[in-house]
Structure formats: C-alpha cells, structure tokens
C-alpha cells in the first residue's frame, strides 16, 4: 500500500509538529521520513519512486527556501509543499516560482495538507515518467552512428536532402538511407515528430 | 555691746555665711568635695572665734581654761579640713605629710583633753585683765603645758605640706592659684602660730586672735572658689549662648534639634522639632510620646535603631514616617549621638531631625515615572517581538490541530488505533500548556507592576528570553550560541525587568546583524562570574558600535531608522536600580565583522535572608 501512496520527507525543527504530521500522513497511508534539520535530511536523502518534501520555511541554519534552491541546483526532482508559521506573500511567491507545489500556513487543515501532498505525489509521478521517457530517448539517440547523428541535426534544422548531401559531400541517395535509419532508430514516423523529439532532448537550437 | 563682741561675732558670722553657701553648693552637687571642706574650714574658724570671745570674757581661770580646751575642737576640724581642701582642690601635696599632720593634730586634741587643764596650760593660775579695743579683756597666766609642742609641731607639718603643694602648683603653671590659696595658707598659718606662741609663752600681753588669721585663709580660699564658680557660670552662659546659636543655625537649616535625658525620660526639643511631630511649642515629651507619633509600620525599626545606639554606643540614624494628630503624614530623617556619663552609662542622646517629605515624594514620583517608562519600553519591546510571539503561540496551536485531526482519522479506522490516540491526547495537553505558558509570560511582561526584588537564577532568565525571541532570531537567520556557567549565585532582581533588559539587548543584536550575510549572523550569550558579580554578556557580529559609542546610553540617541532611542537608557537605569552595571564594548574579532558586546553585571544576592 505504501508503495502506491509514496514517501513523504518531513522537515521541521519542531519535534511536536513533526510527530503530529507523521501521525496524520501515516494514517493516510504515506510512508513518512522525518528530519529536524536540513543537514540530516541532505545526508540521508535517496531518490524514491513517488516522493515529496513537506518543508517548514523557518528553520535555523538552512532555511526552507535555501534548501529548495540547493535541491534544484543539484537536479533533485522532489516536489515541495511548504509550511510556514506566518503567511508571507513575497516568500510564497518566490517559493511557487521556484517550483513549489503549494505554500500552506500553519495551523494547516488536514484536508488542505493532504490535497497538497497528493498533488505533489502526482507531480512526482509525472516527473518520474517524463524523466524515464527522456532517458529512453537519450538511449535511442546514443544508438545513432556519428554520421546518422550529423544527418539528423541537418534534418531537424529543416534542410532538404539535396542541401544536406552537398554540405556533407555525399550523394543524395546515401542521405536518404541515413535519414530512414534515423527515423527508424528514434521511433518516429514523421519529420514533425522528430523535430519535437529533438526539442525535448534539447538539440533544437544550436 | 562691746567692740570685741561685735568684731568677733562678725568674724564668726562671715565664716558661717560662707560655710552655708558652700554647703549648699555641695548639697546640689555631691561631687564638689572642695566646697564641703571649705565649708568645714569656715565653720571651724567661726567656732574658734566663738571660743576666743569666750576666753576674752572669762571671769575665772577655770572658765578660761575650759574655753581654751574647747577651742582645740574647732581648730582640729578647721585644720584637717584645710589639709583635705589643699589636697583635693589644688590636687597637690604629699599624702604622707598630710596623714602625719592629721595624726599629730589628733594626738594633740587627745592630749588637750587628757593632760593638764588644756593643751596649752598645765594649770592657769590667774587671769589678768588688759585693755583691748577700749575695754578690758581676760588674758591667762599659769604653767605652760609641754604638750603644746605637739600641736605646734603639727602646725609646722601643715605649713610644710601646704608649701610643698604650693610649689607643685606653681611648677604646674597655676601661679595665681598657688599664690592666693597656697601662699595665703602658709602665710596666715605661720602668722597665727607665731602669735599664738608669743601669747601662750606670755611674751606679749595680748589676747588670742588666731581666728583672725584663719579668717584670712577662709577669705583667700573663698575668693578662689568663687572665681571658679564665676568661671563656671560664665562657661555655662557661653555654653548656653553657643547652644542657642547652634539651635538657631539648625532651625534655619530646617533641622529640629532635640536632647533626650535618658534617666528622666525627658526630651527637650527645639520649636521646629516639636512642630515636626505636632507637639505644642512648650511641650515636654517622653520617648513614648514620640513613638506614638511614628507610623506604626516604622515604630519597630526606629526602636531597634535607638536600642542599638544605646547598647553599642553607635550613632543613631533613621528615616521614618510621622503621623500627626490630624492624620497627615510626613517623612523625616533623624540622626543622633549618645553621650555616656563617666561610668560609660548612656545618660543623654542628642540629635537633629529634618522633614524630607518633599524629597520622598519626588523620589516616589520618579520611581513611578521610571516604572511607567520601563513599562512603555517593555510594551515597545514586546511589540517588536510580536511576530515572533505570534509564532510562539501559533506553533502549539498548529500542533494541536494536526494532532487532533490525526486522532480523528485514527479513531475512524477499523479497528480504531486507541493507543496512538491516547498518546496524541497527551501531546495535545502538553502543547496546550505550552501555549498557556507563552500567554502567561506575555501578560507578565505587559503588566503594570511595581518593582519587586527577589532572588533569581540568571541562567533561567536567559533561557526564557531566548525562548521568547526564538522565532525572531530564526526569522533573522541568526544562529544562537550559549555558554551558561553552572552554579552561578542568584541575583537580587525584578524578574520582568531583567527579562526586558535582556530582550532589548537581543533585539538590538539581531537588528545590528540584519545587513550581514546569513552565515555572519551569530549571537552569543554567556553567563559567568566576574569580580564577585554575575555577568551576562550578549555579543553579536553586527555593525558594531557607532563612533560616538559613549552616547548610546543617552536618551533619544539612536542609530535605528525607527528607533526612539530609549531602549538602552531605560535598560541602564533598570540595571542601576539593581545596583548593577550595563556596559557596551566593541568586540575584538580578527577579520570578520566588528560586532558589539553588552555586559550586564549584577551583584549576587546576599547569602541567606536579605
């Protein structure tokens, strides 16, 4: 059951709060890992399938917003639900802009919190999915020979076969064969699909 | 009436008058033995004059002999008293000479009654009548008594004794007294003795007039004594005058002066003093009367101070309230000194009392204003912390809500998790108590309160204040370091005011560090013992002290944009009222930001009860 609900990382310097939140989230079937400081959290964090972070903004040493920044820079995909003692609009704007799922004010109603946590889990699942798709595409991209890769770049840039052949100093027919192999290896049917795929992999603009 | 009778009676009555006067003096003041001895001398001289008159008017030899025999009684008294007078009054003379004289003279008095007709004659054969002052007086003829030599030897001893005493007095520098008393005694005693010898050995035909010579001595002694009396009178007049001057000066300065004669329990007070206590201007009051006018709450303290002054012979000082008959109250301060008699027993207490009501009222008003200002500053401090305090209250409420909702969910499960729900309820109770504690602290900080000093643990106050400002510090991204010394002595202080001062210092520190990067915001609180005082130091790594750091404790001096400049002056006055010190110091820090340290030093509470 916990596998389906996901793991909630809890971070609050107040032990009482930590305990209460753990009880609520556990009762709702989430796996909870609680930490009282950002330091211990960072040390023991391991990526999980479906997970999110419920984070108290006001923490000594490393604040919630600082931690969010740190995680983003490290490329950690972990949706964050912020909790704060006092609702501070500029702070919440900053958090949301930086990708937070929600910004809740304590005392927080259980329904609001659970809704936000479920939304975060949803986002986590999506992120995972998208990440695994991208990883598959990268694998395909890696399976292209250097020549095929060259041809693909020109195709995506919108050049005709003839132009590509003259650029690469080879026959138009050879280009055609390469192009068909690229389409097949990357698993697309049309040129439009290939261009979208290249964009997703960040190849589009040189 | 014959001239002889008149003259001798006059001599006798003059002597008796002087004797009576001096006897009275002695009766009033029993320590004045010189006056009693003088009085005895004078009475002796009068007795001699009487016996001489008796002799001159004797009709038969037997009568003459009896008169002469009785003459030696007053003579003995006179001479012994004279020796005593010289010894006591001149404070000179050798005791062995005096005692030898007294022995010889007493022996001659015994011989006077035991051998022959009297000391001078073994037998008086006949009386001769000779003219004297125009009439006929009796002179004796007969066989001389050799015992007379004992008497004359004693007179020689007397002269020796007095002469020796006179030399001592002369050497002592009291020349006038040596001459008038010593000189005249020697002179008149010698003259009287010579006259007596001449008459008794019948070398001249002349009646005995020794009393005349002793009259000279009495006059000389009387003169000197009365000089002394006059001098004492002058002295007492001077004293009274200076006393009046002192009273006048004291009254002009607003002091009421008083003197308490302890044995008689009679307090004399100047008009101003009597007025201070609401007594009539000429009232004679007792210690109890005064106590009645003292405020009941102050009575015991005054009584204790007076008793201590009397027992330990220390100066008395007191400050107390007087309640007048019309129920008005005034504050007075009194000082007094105990004067003991020669045995060291306190006989008198004198002092001055003054009205300090105006000063007291001003003091009370200043105290009230000080408390008012401190309260205002406290309210300001608390409002600066309001965000933090709101959080401090919000936190337990949030925990309670989440716990309660978790419990609802646990109880809705099948089967319900009762064990967990029980634990949740326990947590809810403790969080609720925590919230209540925050409110209680807040209320006490905002309360209008009179300063109440009690023994306090410094570390406890530091912890409470850090708790109250915890969220403010976290919100400012400040890291708190604390080093609290164990086993610190307690201090005598007002809990709320000390909290206020510490809060103020912590808020100042966190304001000073607001421009620092987060890593450079370090607040350090240290408690320690230093030079006998208990010291709390609050250090920051902020912008440091302004160049004119000496002014930070001045009212209305501020470096903050929205500061009133009253926080630190009020803190300093609070600490001054605790007999402590509040000091600012630039932190010495190599490299990093300058920073400031505030030291709060308080004296430890006295061991035991205060």
């Amino acid at each position: 059951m916990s596998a389906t609900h996901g793991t909630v990382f809890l971070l609050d310097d107040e032990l009482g709060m930590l305990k209460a939140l753990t009880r609520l989230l556990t009762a709702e079937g989430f796996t909870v890992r609680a930490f009282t400081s950002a330091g211990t959290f960072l040390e023991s964090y391991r990526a999980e399938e479906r997970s999110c972070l419920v984070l108290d903004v006001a923490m000594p040493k490393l604040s919630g917003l600082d931690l969010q920044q740190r995680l983003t820079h490290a490329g950690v995909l972990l949706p964050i639900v912020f909790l704060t003692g006092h609702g501070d609009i500029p702070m919440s704007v900053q958090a949301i802009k930086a990708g937070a799922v929600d910004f809740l004010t304590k005392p927080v109603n259980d329904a609001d919190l659970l809704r936000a946590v479920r939304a975060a889990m949803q986002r986590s699942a999506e992120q995972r999915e998208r990440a695994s798709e991208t990883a598959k595409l990268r694998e395909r991209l890696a399976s292209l020979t250097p020549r095929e890769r060259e041809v693909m770049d020109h195709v995506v840039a919108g050049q005709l076969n003839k132009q590509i052949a003259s650029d690469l100093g080879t026959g138009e027919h050879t280009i055609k064969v390469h192009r068909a192999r690229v389409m097949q290896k990357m698993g697309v049917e049309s040129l439009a699909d290939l261009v979208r795929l290249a964009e997703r992999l960040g190849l589009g603009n040189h | 009436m014959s001239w002889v009778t008149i003259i001798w009676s006059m001599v006798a009555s003059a002597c008796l008058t002087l004797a009576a006067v001096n006897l009275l003096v002695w009766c009033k003041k029993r320590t004045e033995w010189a006056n009693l001895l003088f009085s005895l001398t004078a009475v002796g001289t009068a007795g001699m004059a009487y016996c001489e008159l008796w002799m001159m008017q004797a009709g038969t030899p037997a009568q003459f002999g009896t008169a002469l025999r009785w003459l030696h009684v007053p003579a003995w008294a006179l001479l012994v008293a004279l020796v005593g007078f010289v010894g006591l009054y001149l404070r000179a003379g050798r005791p062995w000479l005096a005692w030898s004289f007294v022995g010889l003279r007493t022996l001659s008095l015994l011989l006077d009654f035991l051998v022959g007709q009297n000391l001078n004659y073994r037998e008086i054969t006949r009386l001769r009548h000779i003219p004297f002052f125009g009439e006929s007086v009796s002179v004796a003829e007969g066989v001389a008594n050799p015992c007379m030599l004992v008497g004359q030897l004693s007179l020689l001893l007397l002269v020796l004794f007095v002469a020796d005493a006179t030399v001592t007095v002369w050497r002592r520098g009291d020349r006038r007294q040596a001459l008038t008393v010593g000189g005249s005694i020697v002179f008149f005693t010698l003259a009287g003795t010579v006259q007596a010898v001449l008459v008794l050995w019948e070398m001249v035909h002349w009646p005995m007039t020794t009393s005349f010579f002793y009259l000279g001595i009495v006059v000389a002694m009387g003169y000197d004594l009365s000089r002394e009396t006059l001098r004492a009178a002058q002295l007492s007049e001077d004293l009274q005058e200076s006393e009046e001057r002192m009273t006048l000066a004291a009254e002009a300065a607003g002091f009421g002066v008083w003197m308490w004669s302890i044995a008689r329990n009679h307090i004399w007070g100047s008009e101003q003093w009597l007025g201070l206590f609401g007594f009539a201007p000429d009232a004679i009051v007792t210690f109890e009367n005064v106590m009645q006018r003292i405020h009941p709450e102050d009575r015991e303290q005054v009584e204790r101070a007076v008793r201590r002054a009397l027992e330990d012979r220390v100066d008395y000082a007191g400050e107390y309230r007087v309640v007048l008959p019309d129920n008005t109250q005034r504050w007075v301060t009194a000082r007094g000194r105990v004067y003991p008699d020669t045995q060291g027993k306190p006989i008198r207490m004198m002092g001055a009392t003054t009205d300090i009501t105006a000063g007291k009222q001003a003091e009370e008003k200043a105290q009230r204003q000080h408390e008012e200002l401190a309260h205002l500053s406290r309210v300001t401090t608390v409002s600066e912390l309001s965000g933090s305090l709101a959080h401090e209250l919000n936190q337990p409420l949030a925990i309670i809500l989440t716990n309660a909702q978790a419990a609802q969910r646990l109880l809705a499960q099948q089967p319900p998790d009762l064990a967990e729900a029980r634990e949740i309820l326990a947590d809810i109770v403790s969080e609720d108590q925590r919230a209540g504690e925050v409110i209680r602290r807040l209320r006490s900080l905002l309360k209008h309160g009179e300063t109440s000093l009690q023994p306090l643990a410094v570390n406890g106050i530091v912890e409470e204040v850090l708790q109250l400002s915890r969220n403010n510090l976290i919100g400012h991204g400040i890291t708190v370091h604390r080093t609290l010394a164990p086993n610190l002595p307690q201090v005598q202080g007002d809990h709320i005011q000390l909290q206020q001062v510490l809060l103020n210092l912590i808020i100042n520190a966190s304001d000073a560090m607001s421009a620092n990067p987060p890593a450079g915001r370090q607040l350090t609180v240290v408690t320690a013992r230093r030079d006998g005082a208990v010291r709390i130091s609050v250090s920051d790594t902020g912008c440091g002290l302004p160049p004119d750091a000496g002014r930070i404790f001045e009212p209305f001096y501020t470096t903050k944009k929205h500061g009133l400049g009253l926080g630190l002056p009020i803190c300093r006055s609070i600490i001054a009222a605790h007999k402590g010190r509040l000091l600012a110091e630039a932190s010495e820090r190599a490299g990093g930001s300058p920073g400031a340290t505030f030291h709060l030093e308080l004296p430890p509470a006295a061991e035991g009860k205060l």
Side-chain angles (χ1 to χ4, degrees), chain B residues 448-517:
Chain B
H448 270 282
E450 280 181 18
T451 310
S452 91
L453 299 181
Q454 57 200 85
L456 300 170
V458 164
N459 288 350
I461 297 176
V462 170
E463 290 288 4
E464 281 170 7
V465 169
L466 284 176
Q467 181 64 34
L468 276 173
S469 52
R470 195 183 77 104
N471 256 85
N472 183 286
L473 294 170
I474 291 173
H476 282 81
I478 291 166
T479 312
V480 179
H481 309 275
R482 64 192 88 181
T483 312
L484 306 184
N487 306 325
L488 280 179
Q490 293 193 314
V491 298
Q492 194 72 15
D494 183 284
H495 194 152
I496 292 160
Q497 290 184 356
L498 289 184
Q499 276 192 346
Q500 169 181 3
V501 172
L502 272 178
L503 266 181
N504 229 305
L505 296 182
I506 288 171
I507 291 173
N508 282 352
S510 84
D511 285 349
M513 295 188 284
S514 57
N516 287 22

Side-chain angles (χ1 to χ4, degrees), chain A residues 8 11 16 20 40 42-43 45 51 57 72-73 75 82 103 124 126 131 134 148 159-160 163 169 172 174 195 198 205:
Chain A
V8 179
L11 192 40
T40 51
L42 286 174
E43 266 169 36
Y45 173 74
S51 58
V57 175
T72 311
H73 278 300
F82 276 103
F103 197 91
S124 170
E126 285 165 13
T134 313
E148 287 163 359
Q159 281 182 321
L160 300 172
Q163 285 172 306
E172 203 179 335
T174 322
V195 171
N205 19 355

Side-chain angles (χ1 to χ4, degrees), chain A residues 14 23 28 85 106 109-110, chain B residues 394 403 405 409 420 434:
Chain A
E14 189 82 32
R23 283 171 177 145
E28 281 308 298
K106 289 190 215 171
N109 209 17
D110 53 352
Chain B
N394 198 36
N403 267 320
Q405 289 177 332
R409 284 167 194 274
E420 185 72 26
R434 180 177 141 198

Side-chain angles (χ1 to χ4, degrees), chain A residues 55-109:
Chain A
L55 179 55
D56 184 23
V57 175
M59 298 268 292
K61 288 188 184 145
L62 194 59
S63 83
L65 291 176
D66 293 339
L67 181 62
Q68 182 187 29
Q69 243 178 350
R70 189 82 80 90
L71 291 172
T72 311
H73 278 300
V76 175
L77 292 173
L78 189 61
I80 299 177
V81 174
F82 276 103
L83 286 182
T84 176
H86 32 91
D88 179 342
I89 293 170
M91 208 189 269
S92 60
V93 169
Q94 190 191 337
I96 300 287
K97 265 193 176 165
V101 177
D102 213 337
F103 197 91
L104 301 171
T105 310
K106 289 190 215 171
V108 61
N109 209 17

Side-chain angles (χ1 to χ4, degrees), chain A residues 97-133:
Chain A
K97 265 193 176 165
V101 177
D102 213 337
F103 197 91
L104 301 171
T105 310
K106 289 190 215 171
V108 61
N109 209 17
D110 53 352
D112 296 340
L113 177 68
L114 290 170
R115 197 182 310 120
V117 168
R118 291 200 178 104
M121 288 298 179
Q122 182 75 34
R123 189 182 293 185
S124 170
E126 285 165 13
Q127 278 176 348
R128 288 277 146 213
E129 211 174 307
R130 210 172 326 139
S132 69
E133 265 172 38

